[in-house]
Amino acid sequence: MLIRERSSELNIIAKSIDALNLTEQLWLLEHIAHQIRIKNELAAMAQDPQIQAELTQIQQEFAVTDFDGL
């Protein structure tokens, strides 16, 4: 997507946010912040060697079920 198109979409979003009252804007900010925290936590977990090792172990344990056709 071109930068100009993205900017246009962001301008539409900004105008929509401006139309909200302060309580709604605050709720939206808190919601966005919460979503960002969750994504950051998931990204950190995905990079954690201990979690990667646990996922590998789980995959190995369930590998035999791949062949049962269920």
PDB file of all heavy atoms in Angstrom, residues 57-70:
ATOM      1  N   GLN A  57       9.226 -29.842  22.700  1.00  0.00           N
ATOM      2  CA  GLN A  57       8.913 -31.073  23.434  1.00  0.00           C
ATOM      3  C   GLN A  57       7.454 -31.465  23.227  1.00  0.00           C
ATOM      4  O   GLN A  57       7.139 -32.635  22.995  1.00  0.00           O
ATOM      5  CB  GLN A  57       9.200 -30.885  24.925  1.00  0.00           C
ATOM      6  CG  GLN A  57       8.923 -32.128  25.744  1.00  0.00           C
ATOM      7  CD  GLN A  57       9.197 -31.917  27.230  1.00  0.00           C
ATOM      8  OE1 GLN A  57       9.680 -30.867  27.636  1.00  0.00           O
ATOM      9  NE2 GLN A  57       8.881 -32.920  28.023  1.00  0.00           N
ATOM     10  N   ILE A  58       6.558 -30.498  23.285  1.00  0.00           N
ATOM     11  CA  ILE A  58       5.133 -30.781  23.080  1.00  0.00           C
ATOM     12  C   ILE A  58       4.899 -31.307  21.664  1.00  0.00           C
ATOM     13  O   ILE A  58       4.160 -32.274  21.467  1.00  0.00           O
ATOM     14  CB  ILE A  58       4.287 -29.510  23.340  1.00  0.00           C
ATOM     15  CG1 ILE A  58       4.309 -29.163  24.837  1.00  0.00           C
ATOM     16  CG2 ILE A  58       2.851 -29.692  22.833  1.00  0.00           C
ATOM     17  CD1 ILE A  58       3.745 -27.805  25.171  1.00  0.00           C
ATOM     18  N   GLN A  59       5.549 -30.690  20.682  1.00  0.00           N
ATOM     19  CA  GLN A  59       5.406 -31.153  19.303  1.00  0.00           C
ATOM     20  C   GLN A  59       5.897 -32.592  19.153  1.00  0.00           C
ATOM     21  O   GLN A  59       5.269 -33.394  18.454  1.00  0.00           O
ATOM     22  CB  GLN A  59       6.172 -30.239  18.346  1.00  0.00           C
ATOM     23  CG  GLN A  59       5.514 -28.883  18.169  1.00  0.00           C
ATOM     24  CD  GLN A  59       6.363 -27.929  17.342  1.00  0.00           C
ATOM     25  OE1 GLN A  59       7.585 -28.046  17.304  1.00  0.00           O
ATOM     26  NE2 GLN A  59       5.710 -26.984  16.697  1.00  0.00           N
ATOM     27  N   GLN A  60       6.989 -32.914  19.809  1.00  0.00           N
ATOM     28  CA  GLN A  60       7.525 -34.270  19.730  1.00  0.00           C
ATOM     29  C   GLN A  60       6.580 -35.270  20.385  1.00  0.00           C
ATOM     30  O   GLN A  60       6.376 -36.370  19.881  1.00  0.00           O
ATOM     31  CB  GLN A  60       8.909 -34.339  20.377  1.00  0.00           C
ATOM     32  CG  GLN A  60       9.969 -33.619  19.589  1.00  0.00           C
ATOM     33  CD  GLN A  60      11.285 -33.499  20.339  1.00  0.00           C
ATOM     34  OE1 GLN A  60      11.367 -33.789  21.529  1.00  0.00           O
ATOM     35  NE2 GLN A  60      12.321 -33.050  19.634  1.00  0.00           N
ATOM     36  N   GLU A  61       5.983 -34.876  21.507  1.00  0.00           N
ATOM     37  CA  GLU A  61       5.067 -35.773  22.212  1.00  0.00           C
ATOM     38  C   GLU A  61       3.818 -36.067  21.396  1.00  0.00           C
ATOM     39  O   GLU A  61       3.269 -37.157  21.460  1.00  0.00           O
ATOM     40  CB  GLU A  61       4.686 -35.176  23.567  1.00  0.00           C
ATOM     41  CG  GLU A  61       5.825 -35.161  24.572  1.00  0.00           C
ATOM     42  CD  GLU A  61       5.469 -34.424  25.853  1.00  0.00           C
ATOM     43  OE1 GLU A  61       4.302 -33.986  26.016  1.00  0.00           O
ATOM     44  OE2 GLU A  61       6.361 -34.284  26.705  1.00  0.00           O
ATOM     45  N   PHE A  62       3.372 -35.080  20.626  1.00  0.00           N
ATOM     46  CA  PHE A  62       2.145 -35.257  19.851  1.00  0.00           C
ATOM     47  C   PHE A  62       2.409 -35.681  18.413  1.00  0.00           C
ATOM     48  O   PHE A  62       1.474 -35.883  17.649  1.00  0.00           O
ATOM     49  CB  PHE A  62       1.303 -33.981  19.883  1.00  0.00           C
ATOM     50  CG  PHE A  62       0.582 -33.785  21.187  1.00  0.00           C
ATOM     51  CD1 PHE A  62       1.144 -33.027  22.204  1.00  0.00           C
ATOM     52  CD2 PHE A  62      -0.664 -34.366  21.400  1.00  0.00           C
ATOM     53  CE1 PHE A  62       0.484 -32.853  23.415  1.00  0.00           C
ATOM     54  CE2 PHE A  62      -1.329 -34.199  22.598  1.00  0.00           C
ATOM     55  CZ  PHE A  62      -0.752 -33.437  23.609  1.00  0.00           C
ATOM     56  N   ALA A  63       3.655 -35.816  18.035  1.00  0.00           N
ATOM     57  CA  ALA A  63       3.993 -36.196  16.660  1.00  0.00           C
ATOM     58  C   ALA A  63       3.385 -37.529  16.271  1.00  0.00           C
ATOM     59  O   ALA A  63       2.952 -37.713  15.129  1.00  0.00           O
ATOM     60  CB  ALA A  63       5.505 -36.214  16.473  1.00  0.00           C
ATOM     61  N   VAL A  64       3.318 -38.455  17.206  1.00  0.00           N
ATOM     62  CA  VAL A  64       2.765 -39.776  16.897  1.00  0.00           C
ATOM     63  C   VAL A  64       1.282 -39.708  16.553  1.00  0.00           C
ATOM     64  O   VAL A  64       0.778 -40.552  15.823  1.00  0.00           O
ATOM     65  CB  VAL A  64       3.001 -40.779  18.052  1.00  0.00           C
ATOM     66  CG1 VAL A  64       4.468 -41.115  18.196  1.00  0.00           C
ATOM     67  CG2 VAL A  64       2.429 -40.257  19.342  1.00  0.00           C
ATOM     68  N   THR A  65       0.595 -38.708  17.052  1.00  0.00           N
ATOM     69  CA  THR A  65      -0.840 -38.583  16.760  1.00  0.00           C
ATOM     70  C   THR A  65      -1.090 -38.069  15.358  1.00  0.00           C
ATOM     71  O   THR A  65      -2.215 -38.153  14.859  1.00  0.00           O
ATOM     72  CB  THR A  65      -1.550 -37.658  17.777  1.00  0.00           C
ATOM     73  OG1 THR A  65      -1.018 -36.345  17.658  1.00  0.00           O
ATOM     74  CG2 THR A  65      -1.365 -38.170  19.191  1.00  0.00           C
ATOM     75  N   ASP A  66      -0.067 -37.529  14.687  1.00  0.00           N
ATOM     76  CA  ASP A  66      -0.222 -37.062  13.319  1.00  0.00           C
ATOM     77  C   ASP A  66      -0.596 -38.193  12.364  1.00  0.00           C
ATOM     78  O   ASP A  66      -1.204 -37.963  11.319  1.00  0.00           O
ATOM     79  CB  ASP A  66       1.059 -36.382  12.810  1.00  0.00           C
ATOM     80  CG  ASP A  66       1.322 -35.047  13.490  1.00  0.00           C
ATOM     81  OD1 ASP A  66       0.353 -34.476  14.056  1.00  0.00           O
ATOM     82  OD2 ASP A  66       2.470 -34.585  13.431  1.00  0.00           O
ATOM     83  N   PHE A  67      -0.264 -39.392  12.743  1.00  0.00           N
ATOM     84  CA  PHE A  67      -0.475 -40.523  11.859  1.00  0.00           C
ATOM     85  C   PHE A  67      -1.749 -41.316  12.157  1.00  0.00           C
ATOM     86  O   PHE A  67      -2.048 -42.278  11.490  1.00  0.00           O
ATOM     87  CB  PHE A  67       0.735 -41.479  11.931  1.00  0.00           C
ATOM     88  CG  PHE A  67       2.026 -40.800  11.583  1.00  0.00           C
ATOM     89  CD1 PHE A  67       2.980 -40.520  12.564  1.00  0.00           C
ATOM     90  CD2 PHE A  67       2.284 -40.401  10.275  1.00  0.00           C
ATOM     91  CE1 PHE A  67       4.166 -39.886  12.246  1.00  0.00           C
ATOM     92  CE2 PHE A  67       3.470 -39.762   9.949  1.00  0.00           C
ATOM     93  CZ  PHE A  67       4.415 -39.502  10.926  1.00  0.00           C
ATOM     94  N   ASP A  68      -2.503 -40.882  13.172  1.00  0.00           N
ATOM     95  CA  ASP A  68      -3.691 -41.671  13.540  1.00  0.00           C
ATOM     96  C   ASP A  68      -4.920 -41.292  12.722  1.00  0.00           C
ATOM     97  O   ASP A  68      -5.953 -41.925  12.846  1.00  0.00           O
ATOM     98  CB  ASP A  68      -3.959 -41.590  15.037  1.00  0.00           C
ATOM     99  CG  ASP A  68      -4.353 -40.197  15.512  1.00  0.00           C
ATOM    100  OD1 ASP A  68      -4.565 -39.312  14.677  1.00  0.00           O
ATOM    101  OD2 ASP A  68      -4.459 -40.024  16.736  1.00  0.00           O
ATOM    102  N   GLY A  69      -4.826 -40.271  11.910  1.00  0.00           N
ATOM    103  CA  GLY A  69      -5.928 -39.911  11.014  1.00  0.00           C
ATOM    104  C   GLY A  69      -7.060 -39.158  11.661  1.00  0.00           C
ATOM    105  O   GLY A  69      -8.097 -38.941  11.057  1.00  0.00           O
ATOM    106  N   LEU A  70      -6.911 -38.743  12.881  1.00  0.00           N
ATOM    107  CA  LEU A  70      -7.987 -37.999  13.558  1.00  0.00           C
ATOM    108  C   LEU A  70      -7.809 -36.521  13.400  1.00  0.00           C
ATOM    109  O   LEU A  70      -6.854 -35.942  13.274  1.00  0.00           O
ATOM    110  CB  LEU A  70      -8.032 -38.367  15.041  1.00  0.00           C
ATOM    111  CG  LEU A  70      -8.356 -39.810  15.319  1.00  0.00           C
ATOM    112  CD1 LEU A  70      -8.287 -40.062  16.831  1.00  0.00           C
ATOM    113  CD2 LEU A  70      -9.736 -40.180  14.811  1.00  0.00           C
TER     114      LEU A  70
END
